[in-house]
Each structure stands twice: as C-alpha cells, then as structure tokens.
Amino acid sequence: MTIFDILNLIGGLVLFLFGMNVMGNALEKRAGNRLKNILGSMTSNVFKGFLLGLGVTAVIQSSSATTVMVVGFVNSGLMTLKQAVGVIMGANLGTSVTSWLLSTTAIDGDSLFMQLLKPTSFTPVLALIGLVFYMFQKNAKRKDTGLILIGFAVLMFGMDMMSDSVSGLQDVPQFREVLTLFSNPILGVIVGTVFTAVIQSSSASVGILQALTTTGSVTIATAVPIIMGQNIGTCVSAMISSIGASKNARRAAMVHLLFNMIATLIILPVYYLVDFIVDFSFMESAADPFIIAVLHTAFKIVALALLMPASNLLVKLSEKLVPESQKKDEQTQLLDERLLTAPAIAIERCRVVAVNMAELAVSSLKDSFEMLNQFDAKKGDLIREAEDKVDLYEDKLGSYLVKLTAQPLTEADSAQATELLHLIGDFERISDHAVNILDSAEEIYEKQLAFSADAKREISVMVNAVKEILDLSLTAFRENDLDSAVMVEPLEQVVDSLQEIIKKQHINRLRQGGCTIEMGFILSDVLTNLSRISDHCSNVAGCLLEISHESMDMHQYLRHAKSGEEKEFNHYFEYFTMKYKVDVN
C-alpha cells in the first residue's frame, strides 16, 4: 500500500462522510412535513413507538440524530421516558438501511444487467440528474431531491474510492495480523465502540468496515464483535447531548446505551458458546459488504426480540442509574436546542409554544376585563404573573427562532418562522394591555370611583367586541383559519368607531354633569387600550393572510377594504356594526 493509496483512502473517507451528511440533511428537509407529524404520532405503546423510530431513522439515515431528537423531546416534556424507549429501539433498526445500500458495491458479474446494478454504473447518472435538479430547478423540494441524489452519488463514490485504496492491503501480512487480533471478542468490541464513538455515526463506521472487506482479509469472526461494538459506540452522540438535560432526558440516553450494551453482553457470549459447541465453519470465511449488512441487521433484530418485551425493565434500570435529582424544582425546557438538528420539528414545537403563549395572553386579558366590574387583588396578582410568563415566552421564542433561521430551512418552514417572529410580539403586547387595564381597575377600586350606568353599558359593548376579535385572532392563529382572519379587520374598524362614539358620549355627559373629569381620564385609558388590542389583533390576522397569499399585498388589500371596495369586508363591517351598537344621546 503506497502513500497514494493512503491519500485515496482519506479522500474516499471524506467524500463518504460528506455525501452521507448531505444526503441525510436533504432527506430531512424533503421530509419536513412528514417529520412534523411525529409530534402527533407519539404514543406510550412501545411497538408503535418502535415503528415511529424505524420510519424516522429510515428517512434521515441516522440513528444518532433520531436519538438526539428523542432526548430533546423528553427534555422538553413532549415525550415521556416510556414513549422514548420504543422510538429508540426503532431507530436502532432503521439505521441498518444504509448498510444495505452500501452492500450493493459487492454486486459482481459479467452480464450487462449485473454491471448496470453496480453503483459505479448508475450513480453518475443519479449525480447528473441531481445536479440538473439542484442548479436549474427553482422549486425547493426539487432542489432538495437533487441534493439527495448528489449526496448519494458522492457517498457511493467515496465508498468505491475507499474500497480501491485498501485493496492492496490484502498482500500486507501485518494488516492481516492486526485483523486477526480483532477477532478477539473483547478487543473487537472495544475497537468498534471507540471508532464509532469518534466519528459519531454507526452507518459510516459500518460502511468503512464494508470497504475493508474488499481486501478479503476481514473474516466473519473479526466482523461480528466489531459490529456489536459499533452499535455501542453510536450511543455517544445521545449521551453527550443529554449533558445538562433533565433527569428523564438523561435516562432516555441511558436506555439507548443499555439497550446496545445488554444486547451485546447477551448475544456475544451465546454466539461464541454455540460456536464452541457446534463449530461454525463459516467463522473464518472472508466477509463481504453483503454479509456485513446481514450481520449488522441480524444483531439488531435479535436484540429487539430479546429486549423489546423487557422495555419496562430498561426504564427501571435507567432510573436506578440516573437517580432523582436533588433539585425538587427541576423543570423541562420550553424549547430544547437539540431539536434544532431537525428544523421541521423545531418549527412545530415553536408553534405549539407560541399557541400556548397566545392563549395565556388572551386569557389574562379577559380576566382583566372582569376586574373593571369587580376588583379582586388575588386575581390581579395572577394577571401580572401571566404577563411575566408571556414575556418569558416571547424572549425564549424570539431567541430560539433566530437560532433556527440559521439552519437550512425549507421555504415553508422559513415562512412559518418569520410569521411566528412577527406574531409573538403582538401577543406579548396584548398581555401588556391586560396589565394596563388591571391598573385602571385598581385605580377605580382604590379611589372608590365608579363609571356611570351609561358608561358601563357602553364599555360593556366595546369589551364584548374586543373579546370577539380576540377569539377570532386566536382561532385564526391556532387553527390557521383564514375565514376567521378575514373577519378581524372589519371588526377592528367597528372597535375604532366605538371608541370615537363612546368618547363623544362621555363629553356630552361631562357637560351635563353626569360624569367627572377624573373618571374621564380613566375611561380614555381603558378605551385606548381596547382600541390598541384590536390593532394588534388586526396585525395578527393580516400577517396570517399575507403569509397564506404570498403574492398578496396586505397594505393594498386593507386600503381597498377600508374604502369599501371589498364586498366581503363591507358585509362583515355592517354585521358587526349592528351587533355592537351603542345608544347615542
């Protein structure tokens, strides 16, 4: 083996790892919407969780990435430890898909059909198609498809380069002697574990082992313990990601490690015991990429058969190894940065948190309305606590979304991230107005003041209108209901009209001595807050409509609507004008 062979080996390894990374990231982006559904598919049923983990890992081609996501889910409170066990088991089997793809390099034969099946024959075509898709297509999904094809082609070329560069090792006695050492079960497991832990990818580690089999010097006896060690080494990513996480997140990573370690501790001794009794004649036979794929998958299937029924025991053992924290107030994280590796899922998590934020803001605002009629100091404290929590939501979401936008996002995910960044500001302002109205109610209570009967009726009408516009905006956001969004702007105009009417009514009462100047200031503050709340609701609805109609100019739409050019706007405006009507003196 010459220096040029070593350089080719390094180059092949680089291409292999780079191609796998490109292909995995592109697969993840291409399957973005499907990955979002994972949040609705989580189940405590171990078998269903297994299918979920199997499917996700088969898509993104990385059990390490799936397990890191699972740790993030558990740390965020999205998934229980019991739910995580099945997904982790499925991820272990899902990653074997790569070894089967790479085993196609072992296809041999002189016929045209067999030659066409070899990756070196069809990957150039895939690379060309991928390049055309990536460079000349504007559609984001087609570009991602192009990257998948390019990544696969680069991966297979890297595999072919590695195979060619190590082929000369078959004539090196020292290489065969080293491989003979690895047939020692303990040493083989250690080597497989350490090497996989270093590159943090069992798929890549198995691929390199498949490349080495082309030398003809890797026997089945050598491959078996190395493969088992590779499955232990792949747990390193999840273990590292769990540092600083909640106890259940650390336990999820521990379950992943325990699954592969216990499987190895059971299967390896039994395998060699049976070999000692029966004397497997194939042990010293040379392995090839296909045999490595078979051994890799067989280990995982046997491990699943042994440990899936004992999933509860794995949970209990992880609880023993990761005991209860001394901190009684340990809390899950609202948004876990581990999920940034899966932008589609991170976006969905942001949306869930943003909906919680919006619901809290609207709920606290409605509570503040009640304080105008009957002040309650304890409820006032809860409103202020809610406002602090909404502020926390905005801060966390804003920071997280900024980090998320630095990740490779699809056009749909990028649009949704932009939408959320705009909307959380409006919902935070809505919660601020809840405190402002609370302050007005507190002032009325402390100074023993009261609105006149007419003022109370007028404020009640405007409050009811604002409650409806809040409900419409929240429904539009939570359910992406554009029909509700369209109704917001006409109602916002009605609220503005009510503000002007009620102010004029107050001035008339003031002239007639039916109201005081001091109550007039408080009334003005309340009306201003109600009007601004409706403005923020209008912003929310406008943002949703603008995002849903990419070519739509919302400013132009609103100008036309307000000038009476939109029939739909006029219809709703007349409807709400009649519904929220105050008697004018």
Side-chain angles (χ1 to χ4, degrees):
M1 189 175 186
T2 66
I3 184 65
F4 299 105
D5 290 326
I6 295 174
L7 291 174
N8 279 334
L9 175 61
I10 294 172
L13 178 60
V14 170
L15 287 176
F16 180 83
L17 294 175
F18 177 71
M20 180 168 290
N21 185 62
V22 169
M23 184 177 72
N25 289 339
L27 280 166
E28 188 175 316
K29 284 183 67 180
R30 188 68 177 81
N33 289 330
R34 294 185 183 90
L35 287 178
K36 286 181 182 180
N37 293 332
I38 191 174
L39 295 177
S41 305
M42 292 174 185
T43 172
S44 57
N45 183 291
V46 174
F47 182 70
K48 289 182 180 179
F50 161 76
L51 294 177
L52 181 64
L54 177 63
V56 171
T57 306
V59 168
I60 65 176
Q61 286 295 289
S62 174
S63 62
S64 297
T66 303
T67 310
V68 168
M69 279 193 282
V70 168
V71 171
F73 289 146
V74 175
N75 197 47
S76 299
L78 295 173
M79 183 185 282
T80 65
L81 183 58
K82 188 175 181 180
Q83 289 173 324
V85 173
V87 180
I88 289 170
M89 291 180 177
N92 267 295
L93 182 58
T95 192
S96 62
V97 172
T98 307
S99 63
W100 285 102
L101 289 174
L102 296 176
S103 69
T104 56
T105 57
I107 294 175
D108 195 13
D110 296 328
S111 68
L112 177 63
F113 177 73
M114 295 301 293
Q115 288 294 320
L116 289 175
L117 288 178
K118 295 187 68 174
T120 50
S121 300
F122 63 80
T123 47
V125 178
L126 293 181
L128 178 61
I129 296 171
L131 187 66
V132 170
F133 272 46
Y134 183 71
M135 293 187 68
F136 302 108
Q137 292 287 335
K138 294 183 179 180
N139 183 281
K141 289 186 177 180
R142 290 198 179 112
K143 281 183 172 290
D144 290 335
T145 301
L147 276 179
I148 293 170
L149 296 176
I150 292 171
F152 178 72
V154 171
L155 180 153
M156 297 307 292
F157 276 120
M159 180 73 175
D160 193 52
M161 281 183 65
M162 286 193 294
S163 299
D164 289 343
S165 63
V166 299
S167 60
L169 289 173
Q170 60 186 337
D171 300 322
V172 180
Q174 293 85 350
F175 176 70
R176 291 197 297 271
E177 290 173 6
V178 170
L179 288 180
T180 302
L181 292 175
F182 294 160
S183 62
N184 178 296
I186 296 175
L187 187 58
V189 169
I190 291 173
V191 168
T193 301
V194 173
F195 184 73
T196 308
V198 170
I199 63 175
Q200 294 196 27
S201 172
S202 64
S203 295
S205 181
V206 171
I208 293 168
L209 179 61
Q210 286 175 304
L212 288 174
T213 61
T214 58
T215 64
S217 302
V218 178
T219 63
I220 294 176
T222 302
V224 168
I226 292 176
I227 288 171
M228 294 185 181
Q230 288 169 334
N231 283 279
I232 296 173
T234 195
C235 302
V236 169
S237 299
M239 295 299 293
I240 292 173
S241 74
S242 70
I243 296 173
S246 66
K247 63 179 183 297
N248 277 336
R250 297 197 303 275
R251 287 169 178 170
M254 183 60 69
V255 165
H256 189 212
L257 179 62
L258 289 171
F259 178 84
N260 286 298
M261 286 188 66
I262 293 173
T264 299
L265 290 173
I266 294 174
I267 296 172
L268 195 62
V270 171
Y271 177 81
Y272 279 99
L273 177 62
V274 174
D275 176 43
F276 177 75
I277 297 171
V278 179
D279 188 18
F280 293 137
S281 58
F282 57 80
M283 288 289 283
E284 297 305 320
S285 301
D288 60 29
F290 177 77
I291 290 175
I292 296 299
V294 170
L295 292 174
H296 188 231
T297 305
F299 169 76
K300 292 174 179 294
I301 291 174
V302 174
L304 284 168
L306 289 171
L307 296 178
M308 184 176 281
S311 59
N312 288 334
L313 293 177
L314 287 176
V315 171
K316 290 179 180 178
L317 185 55
S318 70
E319 290 172 347
K320 292 286 185 183
L321 294 173
V322 183
E324 290 290 334
S325 172
Q326 296 297 316
K327 298 179 180 179
K328 300 297 182 183
D329 60 341
E330 184 183 75
Q331 297 179 348
T332 57
Q333 292 184 14
L334 280 176
L335 298 160
D336 197 303
E337 292 195 11
R338 295 165 185 81
L339 301 184
L340 292 174
T341 58
I345 295 175
I347 284 284
E348 185 61 25
R349 176 57 181 162
C350 286
R351 180 171 178 78
V352 170
V353 173
V355 168
N356 292 339
M357 171 189 175
E359 290 174 339
L360 181 61
V362 170
S363 174
S364 66
L365 184 56
K366 289 181 177 180
D367 287 341
S368 72
F369 293 157
E370 295 178 6
M371 302 288 277
L372 291 170
N373 297 319
Q374 186 174 359
F375 184 79
D376 184 334
K378 290 183 179 179
K379 184 177 284 188
D381 291 338
L382 293 176
I383 291 171
R384 287 193 170 90
E385 286 177 11
E387 198 274 333
D388 289 339
K389 191 171 182 179
V390 170
D391 285 346
L392 176 64
Y393 273 124
E394 186 199 27
D395 180 54
K396 296 293 185 183
L397 273 167
S399 300
Y400 193 82
L401 284 166
V402 168
K403 292 178 182 177
L404 187 54
T405 53
Q407 303 295 319
L409 301 176
T410 63
E411 288 184 5
D413 287 339
S414 180
Q416 195 166 5
T418 303
E419 172 191 300
L420 290 173
L421 278 169
H422 281 89
L423 296 182
I424 58 175
D426 284 298
F427 284 117
E428 191 278 329
R429 301 296 181 276
I430 285 173
S431 73
D432 288 341
H433 289 298
V435 174
N436 292 344
I437 291 175
L438 172 63
D439 289 339
S440 296
E442 198 168 37
E443 184 179 355
I444 293 172
Y445 174 76
E446 290 176 351
K447 293 181 178 180
Q448 297 296 303
L449 301 173
F451 287 118
S452 66
D454 289 338
K456 284 183 179 180
R457 282 194 296 270
E458 292 163 358
I459 291 172
S460 177
V461 171
M462 189 168 177
V463 164
N464 288 334
V466 171
K467 283 182 179 179
E468 181 162 358
I469 201 173
L470 284 167
D471 290 337
L472 287 171
S473 302
L474 183 58
T475 300
F477 173 49
R478 182 172 51 206
E479 301 174 17
N480 197 29
D481 184 349
L482 299 184
D483 290 335
S484 295
V486 167
M487 298 169 67
V488 169
E489 185 60 29
L491 184 50
E492 190 271 337
Q493 293 297 301
V494 171
V495 171
D496 286 347
S497 298
L498 284 171
Q499 181 187 19
E500 296 303 318
I501 292 170
I502 295 172
K503 280 184 177 181
K504 290 178 181 178
Q505 293 284 84
H506 168 70
I507 292 172
N508 290 335
R509 286 192 297 271
L510 191 62
R511 289 171 179 170
Q512 297 168 7
C515 193
T516 64
I517 294 177
E518 189 172 21
M519 283 304 299
F521 287 130
I522 297 175
L523 176 65
S524 178
D525 287 342
V526 171
L527 295 178
T528 299
N529 279 287
L530 292 175
S531 177
R532 287 178 180 172
I533 290 165
S534 70
D535 290 340
H536 290 299
C537 290
S538 176
N539 292 342
V540 169
C543 181
L544 293 172
L545 289 170
E546 189 172 6
I547 292 293
S548 66
H549 303 88
E550 294 178 6
S551 61
M552 180 180 181
D553 185 341
M554 279 304 301
H555 296 292
Q556 183 179 1
Y557 165 79
L558 292 177
R559 282 198 303 272
H560 289 175
K562 292 175 184 179
S563 63
E565 294 180 23
E566 295 289 339
K567 292 181 180 179
E568 191 175 33
F569 178 91
N570 287 337
H571 168 73
Y572 285 123
F573 180 76
E574 291 173 6
Y575 168 75
F576 288 126
T577 299
M578 294 301 297
K579 184 175 182 179
Y580 299 108
K581 189 175 182 181
V582 296
D583 296 328
V584 179
N585 296 328

